Amino acid sequence: MPEGPEVESVRRTLSSRMTGATLSSPWVSDLKLRTPVDTADLAFADGRQVHHVRRKGKLLWMGLDDADHEGLFVRLGMSGRALLCRPDDVIEKHTHVMLDVVTAQGERWQFRYVDPRRFGEVVPYTSRRQFDAECAKLGPDPNAFTDDDRAFVVAKLQSTSRAIKDVLLDQRVTCGVGNIYASEACFVARLSPYWAGSALDDVQARRLVDAVEEVMNDAVAHGGTSFSDYVDADGKRGAHQDHLWVFLREDEPCRECGTLVERWVQGSRSTFLCPRCQPDP
DNA sequence: CCACTCCTGCGT
DNA sequence: ACGCAGGAGTGG
């Protein structure tokens, strides 16, 4: 479920409590997540301190040292939640990983990874090489775009015949964008998601890249989008669902022109658009 | 480009 | 019962 902005909200709550905290008693369920991991695979984290909690796109990690030689990657997939619970909270169904957490001030928490569909994962990395290999798969993060990054994404868009929405979903081009924000960015740029990247002129491509950045930053500012059950590590909902232009608004009036928003299936996933604001290519 | 896969849960 | 779901990979 979560895209970059939702992962960022989770990261912030985790970071505020877990930075400097000591981990102990890792436990992993028997059910297979995306990458099979067992309790023994997390044993190296027992007794270690969390140095930082960081994110790139939808990839989140807890680093155990200052240079990411060791740590835990967390990918939430479609239904994953990374929660900080009280140790005596009821263990809910589909809890797959638990780690005791004691903060520098001596507060006791429990990190829990809950994921009904099991498309996500908690996986260790034990070398800088391994860490770098994961990050290298990801293009620039729109929540931290530099001038070079914007130029990179513009160039990627213009150099492919793929539909622009599909390009935005490609984590190698720009990471953290998922189905919500890809539709939203196309609307903000007033471009149909079906435009071929190569059909965009410089102004349009730049407008789209700026729209991605704007939409992703707004969503972070709103604590992410919660349309059903997404919550941050404290169980709190986001507010960006009240700011969506088109996503999940089929048959509702476009906030800009009143035309009814349409839902199309693109690349076997839903795409939402305003046919008037975003005319066919 | 498409279809299909991994899964469970929810709304119609 | 069926279709749909915020991800990501594979294979055709």
Short mmCIF file of all heavy atoms in Angstrom, two decimals, chain A residues 27-65:
data_model
loop_
_atom_site.label_atom_id
_atom_site.label_comp_id
_atom_site.label_asym_id
_atom_site.label_seq_id
_atom_site.Cartn_x
_atom_site.Cartn_y
_atom_site.Cartn_z
N TRP A 27 12.73 -12.00 16.45
CA TRP A 27 11.89 -13.18 16.20
C TRP A 27 11.26 -13.04 14.82
O TRP A 27 10.83 -11.94 14.44
CB TRP A 27 10.79 -13.29 17.24
CG TRP A 27 9.77 -14.34 16.90
CD1 TRP A 27 9.83 -15.67 17.19
CD2 TRP A 27 8.54 -14.14 16.18
NE1 TRP A 27 8.71 -16.32 16.70
CE2 TRP A 27 7.91 -15.41 16.07
CE3 TRP A 27 7.91 -13.03 15.61
CZ2 TRP A 27 6.68 -15.59 15.42
CZ3 TRP A 27 6.70 -13.20 14.96
CH2 TRP A 27 6.09 -14.48 14.88
N VAL A 28 11.24 -14.11 14.07
CA VAL A 28 10.65 -14.12 12.73
C VAL A 28 9.68 -15.29 12.62
O VAL A 28 9.99 -16.40 13.07
CB VAL A 28 11.75 -14.25 11.63
CG1 VAL A 28 11.14 -14.22 10.24
CG2 VAL A 28 12.79 -13.15 11.78
N SER A 29 8.52 -15.07 12.03
CA SER A 29 7.52 -16.14 11.87
C SER A 29 7.98 -17.16 10.83
O SER A 29 8.94 -16.94 10.11
CB SER A 29 6.17 -15.56 11.45
OG SER A 29 6.17 -15.29 10.07
N ASP A 30 7.26 -18.26 10.75
CA ASP A 30 7.61 -19.31 9.80
C ASP A 30 7.08 -19.04 8.40
O ASP A 30 7.53 -19.66 7.44
CB ASP A 30 7.06 -20.66 10.29
CG ASP A 30 7.83 -21.15 11.51
OD1 ASP A 30 9.00 -20.76 11.66
OD2 ASP A 30 7.25 -21.90 12.31
N LEU A 31 6.11 -18.16 8.29
CA LEU A 31 5.53 -17.90 6.97
C LEU A 31 6.50 -17.11 6.11
O LEU A 31 7.16 -16.19 6.59
CB LEU A 31 4.21 -17.14 7.12
CG LEU A 31 3.08 -17.95 7.74
CD1 LEU A 31 1.91 -17.04 8.09
CD2 LEU A 31 2.64 -19.04 6.78
N LYS A 32 6.58 -17.46 4.86
CA LYS A 32 7.53 -16.82 3.95
C LYS A 32 7.08 -15.42 3.54
O LYS A 32 5.99 -15.25 3.03
CB LYS A 32 7.69 -17.67 2.69
CG LYS A 32 8.62 -18.84 2.85
CD LYS A 32 8.91 -19.44 1.46
CE LYS A 32 9.89 -20.59 1.52
NZ LYS A 32 9.50 -21.64 2.48
N LEU A 33 7.95 -14.46 3.74
CA LEU A 33 7.74 -13.14 3.17
C LEU A 33 8.39 -13.14 1.79
O LEU A 33 8.80 -14.19 1.30
CB LEU A 33 8.35 -12.06 4.08
CG LEU A 33 7.75 -12.01 5.50
CD1 LEU A 33 8.49 -11.00 6.35
CD2 LEU A 33 6.27 -11.67 5.42
N ARG A 34 8.51 -11.96 1.16
CA ARG A 34 9.07 -11.90 -0.19
C ARG A 34 10.42 -12.62 -0.27
O ARG A 34 10.67 -13.42 -1.16
CB ARG A 34 9.24 -10.43 -0.62
CG ARG A 34 10.12 -10.22 -1.81
CD ARG A 34 10.03 -8.79 -2.29
NE ARG A 34 8.78 -8.58 -2.99
CZ ARG A 34 8.56 -8.94 -4.26
NH1 ARG A 34 9.50 -9.53 -4.94
NH2 ARG A 34 7.41 -8.69 -4.84
N THR A 35 11.30 -12.28 0.65
CA THR A 35 12.56 -13.00 0.78
C THR A 35 12.50 -13.79 2.08
O THR A 35 12.29 -13.20 3.14
CB THR A 35 13.75 -12.02 0.85
OG1 THR A 35 13.73 -11.16 -0.28
CG2 THR A 35 15.07 -12.77 0.91
N PRO A 36 12.64 -15.10 2.01
CA PRO A 36 12.56 -15.90 3.23
C PRO A 36 13.70 -15.55 4.19
O PRO A 36 14.87 -15.52 3.80
CB PRO A 36 12.69 -17.34 2.73
CG PRO A 36 12.39 -17.28 1.27
CD PRO A 36 12.83 -15.93 0.82
N VAL A 37 13.33 -15.26 5.43
CA VAL A 37 14.30 -14.92 6.47
C VAL A 37 13.84 -15.66 7.72
O VAL A 37 12.65 -15.79 7.96
CB VAL A 37 14.28 -13.38 6.73
CG1 VAL A 37 14.99 -13.03 8.01
CG2 VAL A 37 14.91 -12.63 5.55
N ASP A 38 14.77 -16.18 8.48
CA ASP A 38 14.36 -16.79 9.74
C ASP A 38 15.01 -16.10 10.93
O ASP A 38 15.82 -15.19 10.77
CB ASP A 38 14.60 -18.31 9.75
CG ASP A 38 16.07 -18.65 9.58
OD1 ASP A 38 16.92 -17.84 10.00
OD2 ASP A 38 16.37 -19.72 9.03
N THR A 39 14.62 -16.52 12.11
CA THR A 39 15.08 -15.85 13.33
C THR A 39 16.60 -15.79 13.39
O THR A 39 17.18 -14.76 13.78
CB THR A 39 14.50 -16.57 14.57
OG1 THR A 39 13.07 -16.48 14.51
CG2 THR A 39 14.99 -15.93 15.86
N ALA A 40 17.26 -16.86 12.98
CA ALA A 40 18.73 -16.90 13.04
C ALA A 40 19.36 -15.82 12.15
O ALA A 40 20.42 -15.27 12.47
CB ALA A 40 19.24 -18.28 12.62
N ASP A 41 18.67 -15.48 11.04
CA ASP A 41 19.21 -14.46 10.12
C ASP A 41 19.26 -13.07 10.76
O ASP A 41 19.98 -12.19 10.29
CB ASP A 41 18.38 -14.39 8.84
CG ASP A 41 18.47 -15.68 8.03
OD1 ASP A 41 19.57 -16.26 7.98
OD2 ASP A 41 17.44 -16.10 7.46
N LEU A 42 18.43 -12.87 11.79
CA LEU A 42 18.40 -11.56 12.45
C LEU A 42 19.20 -11.55 13.75
O LEU A 42 19.28 -10.53 14.43
CB LEU A 42 16.96 -11.12 12.72
CG LEU A 42 16.04 -10.95 11.51
CD1 LEU A 42 14.79 -10.17 11.91
CD2 LEU A 42 16.73 -10.23 10.36
N ALA A 43 19.79 -12.68 14.08
CA ALA A 43 20.50 -12.80 15.37
C ALA A 43 21.64 -11.78 15.49
O ALA A 43 21.95 -11.33 16.59
CB ALA A 43 21.03 -14.23 15.54
N PHE A 44 22.24 -11.41 14.37
CA PHE A 44 23.36 -10.45 14.41
C PHE A 44 22.94 -9.10 14.98
O PHE A 44 23.79 -8.32 15.42
CB PHE A 44 23.95 -10.27 13.01
CG PHE A 44 23.13 -9.38 12.14
CD1 PHE A 44 23.53 -8.07 11.89
CD2 PHE A 44 21.96 -9.83 11.56
CE1 PHE A 44 22.76 -7.23 11.09
CE2 PHE A 44 21.18 -8.99 10.76
CZ PHE A 44 21.59 -7.70 10.54
N ALA A 45 21.64 -8.82 14.97
CA ALA A 45 21.16 -7.52 15.47
C ALA A 45 20.95 -7.53 16.98
O ALA A 45 20.76 -6.47 17.60
CB ALA A 45 19.85 -7.14 14.76
N ASP A 46 20.99 -8.70 17.58
CA ASP A 46 20.73 -8.83 19.02
C ASP A 46 21.78 -8.04 19.82
O ASP A 46 22.99 -8.24 19.64
CB ASP A 46 20.79 -10.32 19.41
CG ASP A 46 20.06 -10.60 20.72
OD1 ASP A 46 19.66 -9.63 21.40
OD2 ASP A 46 19.91 -11.78 21.06
N GLY A 47 21.29 -7.13 20.64
CA GLY A 47 22.19 -6.35 21.49
C GLY A 47 22.81 -5.15 20.80
O GLY A 47 23.57 -4.40 21.42
N ARG A 48 22.47 -4.94 19.52
CA ARG A 48 23.07 -3.82 18.76
C ARG A 48 22.21 -2.56 18.89
O ARG A 48 21.01 -2.61 19.10
CB ARG A 48 23.19 -4.21 17.29
CG ARG A 48 24.06 -5.43 17.05
CD ARG A 48 25.53 -5.13 17.24
NE ARG A 48 26.00 -4.08 16.34
CZ ARG A 48 26.39 -4.28 15.09
NH1 ARG A 48 26.38 -5.51 14.60
NH2 ARG A 48 26.80 -3.28 14.33
N GLN A 49 22.88 -1.42 18.71
CA GLN A 49 22.18 -0.14 18.75
C GLN A 49 21.80 0.32 17.35
O GLN A 49 22.56 0.08 16.39
CB GLN A 49 23.10 0.91 19.35
CG GLN A 49 22.69 1.34 20.76
CD GLN A 49 23.62 2.41 21.27
OE1 GLN A 49 24.77 2.15 21.58
NE2 GLN A 49 23.12 3.62 21.35
N VAL A 50 20.68 0.99 17.23
CA VAL A 50 20.26 1.56 15.94
C VAL A 50 20.96 2.91 15.76
O VAL A 50 20.83 3.79 16.60
CB VAL A 50 18.73 1.75 15.89
CG1 VAL A 50 18.32 2.44 14.59
CG2 VAL A 50 18.03 0.41 16.03
N HIS A 51 21.71 3.03 14.70
CA HIS A 51 22.41 4.28 14.45
C HIS A 51 21.52 5.30 13.74
O HIS A 51 21.54 6.49 14.02
CB HIS A 51 23.68 4.04 13.64
CG HIS A 51 24.52 5.26 13.44
ND1 HIS A 51 24.31 6.14 12.40
CD2 HIS A 51 25.52 5.78 14.19
CE1 HIS A 51 25.18 7.12 12.50
NE2 HIS A 51 25.93 6.94 13.57
N HIS A 52 20.72 4.82 12.78
CA HIS A 52 19.82 5.71 12.06
C HIS A 52 18.72 4.91 11.39
O HIS A 52 18.84 3.70 11.20
CB HIS A 52 20.58 6.52 10.99
CG HIS A 52 21.37 5.66 10.05
ND1 HIS A 52 22.74 5.54 10.10
CD2 HIS A 52 20.96 4.84 9.05
CE1 HIS A 52 23.14 4.70 9.16
NE2 HIS A 52 22.09 4.25 8.51
N VAL A 53 17.62 5.60 11.08
CA VAL A 53 16.54 5.01 10.28
C VAL A 53 16.38 5.90 9.07
O VAL A 53 16.05 7.08 9.19
CB VAL A 53 15.22 4.93 11.07
CG1 VAL A 53 14.13 4.24 10.23
CG2 VAL A 53 15.41 4.19 12.39
N ARG A 54 16.66 5.34 7.89
CA ARG A 54 16.63 6.16 6.68
C ARG A 54 15.77 5.51 5.62
O ARG A 54 15.29 4.38 5.76
CB ARG A 54 18.04 6.36 6.14
CG ARG A 54 18.85 7.23 7.09
CD ARG A 54 20.20 7.61 6.54
NE ARG A 54 20.93 8.30 7.59
CZ ARG A 54 22.25 8.24 7.79
NH1 ARG A 54 23.01 7.52 6.98
NH2 ARG A 54 22.81 8.90 8.78
N ARG A 55 15.60 6.23 4.50
CA ARG A 55 14.71 5.77 3.45
C ARG A 55 15.20 6.27 2.11
O ARG A 55 15.77 7.36 2.01
CB ARG A 55 13.31 6.35 3.70
CG ARG A 55 12.37 6.25 2.52
CD ARG A 55 11.09 7.02 2.74
NE ARG A 55 11.23 8.45 2.50
CZ ARG A 55 10.88 9.07 1.36
NH1 ARG A 55 10.38 8.41 0.36
NH2 ARG A 55 11.03 10.38 1.24
N LYS A 56 15.00 5.45 1.10
CA LYS A 56 15.12 5.93 -0.27
C LYS A 56 13.92 5.36 -1.01
O LYS A 56 13.77 4.14 -1.10
CB LYS A 56 16.43 5.48 -0.92
CG LYS A 56 16.61 6.04 -2.32
CD LYS A 56 17.97 5.78 -2.90
CE LYS A 56 18.08 6.47 -4.27
NZ LYS A 56 19.35 6.19 -4.95
N GLY A 57 13.06 6.23 -1.53
CA GLY A 57 11.85 5.76 -2.17
C GLY A 57 11.03 4.94 -1.18
O GLY A 57 10.75 5.39 -0.07
N LYS A 58 10.66 3.73 -1.56
CA LYS A 58 9.86 2.88 -0.69
C LYS A 58 10.72 1.97 0.16
O LYS A 58 10.21 1.17 0.94
CB LYS A 58 8.90 2.03 -1.53
CG LYS A 58 7.97 2.86 -2.42
CD LYS A 58 7.27 2.01 -3.47
CE LYS A 58 6.65 2.89 -4.54
NZ LYS A 58 6.18 2.12 -5.70
N LEU A 59 12.04 2.08 -0.01
CA LEU A 59 12.97 1.24 0.76
C LEU A 59 13.36 1.95 2.06
O LEU A 59 13.81 3.09 2.04
CB LEU A 59 14.21 0.95 -0.08
CG LEU A 59 15.30 0.10 0.57
CD1 LEU A 59 14.80 -1.32 0.83
CD2 LEU A 59 16.54 0.05 -0.32
N LEU A 60 13.16 1.24 3.16
CA LEU A 60 13.44 1.80 4.49
C LEU A 60 14.51 0.94 5.13
O LEU A 60 14.56 -0.26 4.88
CB LEU A 60 12.14 1.72 5.29
CG LEU A 60 12.06 2.16 6.74
CD1 LEU A 60 12.10 3.68 6.82
CD2 LEU A 60 10.77 1.64 7.37
N TRP A 61 15.40 1.54 5.90
CA TRP A 61 16.36 0.68 6.61
C TRP A 61 16.76 1.26 7.95
O TRP A 61 16.70 2.46 8.17
CB TRP A 61 17.61 0.43 5.76
CG TRP A 61 18.48 1.62 5.46
CD1 TRP A 61 19.52 2.07 6.20
CD2 TRP A 61 18.38 2.49 4.33
NE1 TRP A 61 20.09 3.17 5.59
CE2 TRP A 61 19.40 3.44 4.44
CE3 TRP A 61 17.51 2.56 3.22
CZ2 TRP A 61 19.59 4.47 3.49
CZ3 TRP A 61 17.70 3.58 2.28
CH2 TRP A 61 18.73 4.51 2.43
N MET A 62 17.10 0.33 8.84
CA MET A 62 17.65 0.68 10.14
C MET A 62 19.13 0.33 10.08
O MET A 62 19.48 -0.84 9.95
CB MET A 62 17.00 -0.17 11.24
CG MET A 62 15.51 0.01 11.34
SD MET A 62 14.91 -1.13 12.60
CE MET A 62 13.47 -1.76 11.79
N GLY A 63 19.97 1.35 10.15
CA GLY A 63 21.41 1.14 10.08
C GLY A 63 21.98 0.94 11.47
O GLY A 63 21.62 1.66 12.41
N LEU A 64 22.87 -0.05 11.60
CA LEU A 64 23.44 -0.34 12.92
C LEU A 64 24.81 0.29 13.11
O LEU A 64 25.45 0.11 14.14
CB LEU A 64 23.53 -1.87 13.11
CG LEU A 64 22.19 -2.62 13.01
CD1 LEU A 64 22.39 -4.11 13.26
CD2 LEU A 64 21.16 -2.05 14.00
N ASP A 65 25.30 1.00 12.09
CA ASP A 65 26.59 1.68 12.20
C ASP A 65 26.52 2.94 11.36
O ASP A 65 25.53 3.17 10.66
CB ASP A 65 27.72 0.75 11.71
CG ASP A 65 27.49 0.34 10.26
OD1 ASP A 65 27.98 1.06 9.37
OD2 ASP A 65 26.79 -0.66 10.01
#
